[in-house]
């Protein structure tokens, strides 16, 4: 989940509910980062919440990762620590190449939310870049760099296609 699992700071009961739902995904590992809407405020419940064993939050303001040895895959990402980040934080976050497959969860892409260029993301060496922030599904580079979009509208003006990418 490439950020903004919630459209605002999550309440403890909301974290419990989504954690329960994720726990029902018995053949799925969930990796998530916080985006600009559910960023890591100092008093965020994200900091103290105990996730189920199949949920792997990357909840810090710097690059973190989780390894799935049986899948020969590592997933990397960083969470927002404030609502706006104008620095190009992904520009030098090269894939460490510790596993056969490496995935980057990235959130942003406009001037006030970690700006980036698709060419820069391609040159980082990841096998796939899962993008969050833009609610409309968009393929920046076929099979390589994709905004999945939001599953559902976030408000009355969020019309059109919504979806996810199954990989």
């Amino acid at each position: 989940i490439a950020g903004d699992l919630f459209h605002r700071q999550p309440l403890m009961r909301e974290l419990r509910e989504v954690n329960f739902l994720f726990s029902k995904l018995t053949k799925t590992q969930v990796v998530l980062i916080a985006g600009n809407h559910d960023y890591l405020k100092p008093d965020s419940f994200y900091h103290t919440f105990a996730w189920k064993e199949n949920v792997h939050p990357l909840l810090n303001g710097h690059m973190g990762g989780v390894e799935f040895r049986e899948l020969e895959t590592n997933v990397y990402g960083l969470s927002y620590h404030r609502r706006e980040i104008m620095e190009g934080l992904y520009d030098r976050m090269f894939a460490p190449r510790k596993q056969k497959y490496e995935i980057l969860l990235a959130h942003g892409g406009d001037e006030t939310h970690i700006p980036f260029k698709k060419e820069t993301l391609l040159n980082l060496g990841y096998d796939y870049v899962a993008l969050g922030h833009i609610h409309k599904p968009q393929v920046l580079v076929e099979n390589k760099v994709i905004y999945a979009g939001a599953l559902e509208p976030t408000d009355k003006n969020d019309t059109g296609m919504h979806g996810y990418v199954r990989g």
Side-chain angles (χ1 to χ4, degrees):
I1 298 174
D4 290 351
L5 175 59
F6 300 94
H7 201 58
R8 58 173 167 62
Q9 290 297 303
L11 301 172
M12 182 61 80
R13 68 176 169 77
E14 293 169 324
L15 290 175
R16 281 191 207 107
E17 182 178 345
V18 77
N19 194 38
F20 171 76
L21 294 171
F22 287 155
S23 76
K24 297 298 180 191
L25 302 172
T26 58
K27 298 179 182 174
T28 302
Q29 299 295 313
V30 178
V31 182
L32 66 96
I33 59 173
N36 62 302
H37 288 287
D38 57 353
Y39 69 99
L40 300 172
K41 290 175 80 170
D43 61 346
S44 173
F45 289 118
Y46 273 139
H47 294 295
T48 57
F49 190 75
W51 294 93
K52 296 290 185 180
E53 64 184 33
N54 70 316
V55 181
H56 310 275
L58 301 175
L59 299 176
N60 49 47
H62 61 277
M63 182 69 104
V66 60
E67 180 178 43
F68 302 103
R69 287 186 183 173
E70 68 282 0
L71 300 172
E72 299 179 276
T73 301
N74 279 359
V75 180
Y76 301 93
L78 65 87
S79 287
Y80 274 58
H81 54 283
R82 61 182 189 266
R83 186 173 293 283
E84 293 185 343
I85 301 175
M86 296 181 213
E87 301 85 32
L89 298 180
Y90 302 120
D91 291 353
R92 288 181 209 78
M93 291 189 176
F94 296 98
R97 302 313 316 166
K98 294 180 178 179
Q99 282 291 349
K100 183 175 181 180
Y101 304 106
E102 298 203 329
I103 297 169
L104 174 65
L105 296 179
H107 188 91
D110 63 37
E111 60 278 349
T112 57
H113 302 98
I114 309 182
F116 60 76
K117 294 180 178 158
K118 69 179 178 181
E119 296 80 16
T120 302
L121 292 179
L122 273 175
N123 291 327
L124 294 175
Y126 292 93
D127 299 291
Y128 181 73
V129 181
L131 296 173
H133 183 61
I134 305 298
H135 295 182
K136 304 286 185 222
Q138 296 178 36
V139 177
L140 299 186
V141 179
E142 188 68 33
N143 297 322
K144 197 80 164 167
V145 182
I146 298 175
Y147 281 105
L151 287 173
E152 298 179 345
T154 56
D155 62 37
K156 66 181 181 180
N157 299 316
D158 193 4
T159 61
M161 284 184 50
H162 291 84
Y164 65 94
V165 174
R166 181 177 174 188

